[in-house]
Amino acid sequence: MNNNAKVLESFRKIQTDQYELPRFIVSQMLPTGVHLFAGSPKIGKSWLVLWLCDKVAKGEKVWELDTQQCAVLYIALEDTKSTLHFRIENITEKASDKAYAITSCSSLSDGLLDEIDEFVAKHPDTGLVVIDTLQLVRDPNEKYSYAGDYTQLHKFVAYTQDKNIAIVLVHHLRKMPDSDPINRVSGSTGLLGAVDSILVLEKEARTENKARLYIPGRRVRDQVLKLTFEENTNVWRFVEYVTNSQSQLDKLIGSIQCLLQSEKRFKGTPTELVERIRTFDADFDMPANTAIF
C-alpha cells in the first residue's frame, strides 16, 4: 500500500519531487487503476474485453493504440470453458499464452483479491485483470448505496495502486434513457466516483452493428470512438473518433429522445424545443441558436 499517503507535504515540494509517470496498458485509454466498462446486455461487451485481453497479452495494437505487453487474467464468470473456446477461435488464429482465463472465483468479501494476488505472484508481469461481470463478485450482503458501492470498489482501487496494474470491471447499463450515457451506468454514483475511468459501449440501434465507446476518466482525455462489429470475426473494429460537433448533435438527439419518451409529443419552433429540453434536462447546455437548426 502507499506508505506515504499520510505524510504532510507542501505543494512546492510535491511540484519539485520526481514521480513515476502513469503506466498505460493501452495508450491514451487504459492506465493502471480501476475501470468500469458498461453496456447493455448482449451488446458485445464480452467479445470486446476478450479481444482486448488477447491483444494486450501479445503486445499488439488495440485499434490505433499501442499496448504494453503483459500477462493478463480474464475472469469470465458468465462463460463456460467451451464458450471461451468458441470465442477465442473466432477472434484469433493463434491465442496468446500470456493470457489466462478462469470461469469461477470468490466474491470480493470472500477472498477474490487474495486469489488475484496468487495469480500475480505466479505471473509478476501481470498488467491487466478483467472481471466479467462486477455484479457476480460484489458482496451480496452489502446494501447498494453510494457508501456501499464506493467502499467495495475502493478495495479494487487500493489493490491496483499497490500492484501497479489495471482492473477492468464489466458492468451493465440501466434501461432508463439519459442524454449522457455515463448516467445510465447501473448502480449509485459511488461506482462512478470510485473508479479511474468509465467506458460505456452504446449501440446506435439494438439491431445494428454500429456503436460508440464513450471514455471519460481522470488520467485520459474524454473521447468518443465510433466502432463497428464484424459478425464474421466477432471483433469490434475502430472507425473514427467523434468530433465535438458530432458530440453536440448526439447530445441533442439523446435529449430529444428522453423528452419524447417522457411527454410523448412536442409542438413548437426549434428554439422552443431547445428551451423545453433545457427545462427538462438540467445538464443540457447547448445554445438555443445552435447551427444544426
Side-chain angles (χ1 to χ4, degrees):
M1 301 298 175
N2 186 357
N3 295 323
N4 297 319
K6 294 184 178 180
V7 176
L8 182 66
E9 293 183 335
S10 69
F11 280 16
R12 179 57 179 164
K13 185 177 188 307
I14 294 173
Q15 181 186 38
T16 55
D17 281 349
Q18 298 297 314
Y19 295 92
E20 187 176 338
L21 292 174
R23 175 191 180 195
F24 274 79
I25 306 303
V26 180
S27 67
Q28 303 176 46
M29 187 177 81
L30 200 69
T32 55
V34 181
H35 310 277
L36 199 63
F37 174 46
S40 299
K42 312 304 180 186
I43 196 177
K45 300 187 300 296
S46 294
W47 283 108
L48 196 156
V49 293
L50 181 68
W51 174 80
L52 174 71
C53 288
D54 185 64
K55 287 292 185 181
V56 169
K58 292 175 179 175
E60 296 177 352
K61 284 193 174 186
V62 169
W63 303 312
E64 296 182 331
L65 307 174
D66 293 329
T67 62
Q68 183 180 92
Q69 186 177 22
C70 58
V72 175
L73 174 61
Y74 179 40
I75 304 177
L77 301 177
E78 294 186 330
D79 291 329
T80 62
K81 287 187 178 179
S82 61
T83 304
L84 284 174
H85 169 81
F86 168 76
R87 290 186 171 182
I88 293 170
E89 282 278 282
N90 271 262
I91 66 169
T92 182
E93 293 183 1
K94 186 177 181 180
S96 171
D97 57 5
K98 290 177 70 67
Y100 300 82
I102 56 174
T103 57
S104 64
C105 68
S106 299
S107 67
L108 183 57
S109 61
D110 198 32
L112 170 60
L113 292 180
D114 291 334
E115 293 172 3
I116 295 175
D117 211 32
E118 289 178 12
F119 177 85
V120 173
K122 292 178 182 178
H123 305 88
D125 62 333
T126 300
L128 174 64
V129 176
V130 175
I131 300 175
D132 188 1
T133 64
L134 169 63
Q135 188 62 31
L136 295 177
V137 300
R138 296 179 71 178
D139 184 355
N141 298 318
E142 183 71 49
K143 292 182 179 180
Y144 292 167
S145 62
Y146 180 95
D149 289 344
Y150 192 94
T151 298
Q152 287 199 56
L153 261 67
H154 198 267
K155 294 178 182 178
F156 288 117
V157 172
Y159 185 81
T160 59
Q161 291 175 345
D162 185 38
K163 302 298 181 180
N164 197 29
I165 65 172
I167 292 181
V168 174
L169 305 169
V170 181
H171 196 44
H172 296 299
L173 295 178
R174 296 178 296 165
K175 293 182 180 179
M176 185 182 300
D178 196 291
S179 58
D180 185 348
I182 306 305
N183 292 336
R184 292 189 59 213
V185 175
S186 180
S188 75
T189 53
L191 294 179
L192 307 181
V195 298
D196 293 287
S197 72
I198 305 134
L199 299 87
V200 173
L201 183 66
E202 189 171 60
K203 276 190 175 182
E204 296 179 9
R206 185 72 191 177
T207 57
E208 291 187 3
N209 64 346
K210 298 177 181 179
R212 299 195 177 193
L213 183 63
Y214 299 83
I215 313 176
R218 293 191 181 113
R219 289 184 287 173
V220 296
R221 64 178 178 85
D222 288 3
Q223 52 194 305
V224 182
L225 287 66
K226 283 187 178 181
L227 306 176
T228 184
F229 189 71
E230 291 185 351
E231 294 185 357
N232 60 323
T233 62
N234 293 294
V235 170
W236 285 100
R237 302 295 185 190
F238 173 77
V239 178
E240 62 181 349
Y241 288 99
V242 177
T243 63
N244 288 336
S245 59
Q246 287 174 316
S247 296
Q248 278 197 328
L249 180 57
D250 290 342
K251 186 169 184 179
L252 175 63
I253 293 172
S255 297
I256 292 173
Q257 289 174 336
C258 292
L259 175 65
L260 293 179
Q261 285 186 11
S262 174
E263 301 188 358
K264 305 306 179 186
R265 59 180 299 178
F266 170 83
K267 184 177 180 181
T269 67
T271 300
E272 290 170 339
L273 175 59
V274 171
E275 290 303 323
R276 181 68 193 94
I277 294 172
R278 185 176 286 110
T279 303
F280 176 78
D281 182 358
D283 294 327
F284 183 78
D285 58 1
M286 187 174 291
N289 61 347
T290 180
I292 63 172
F293 289 126

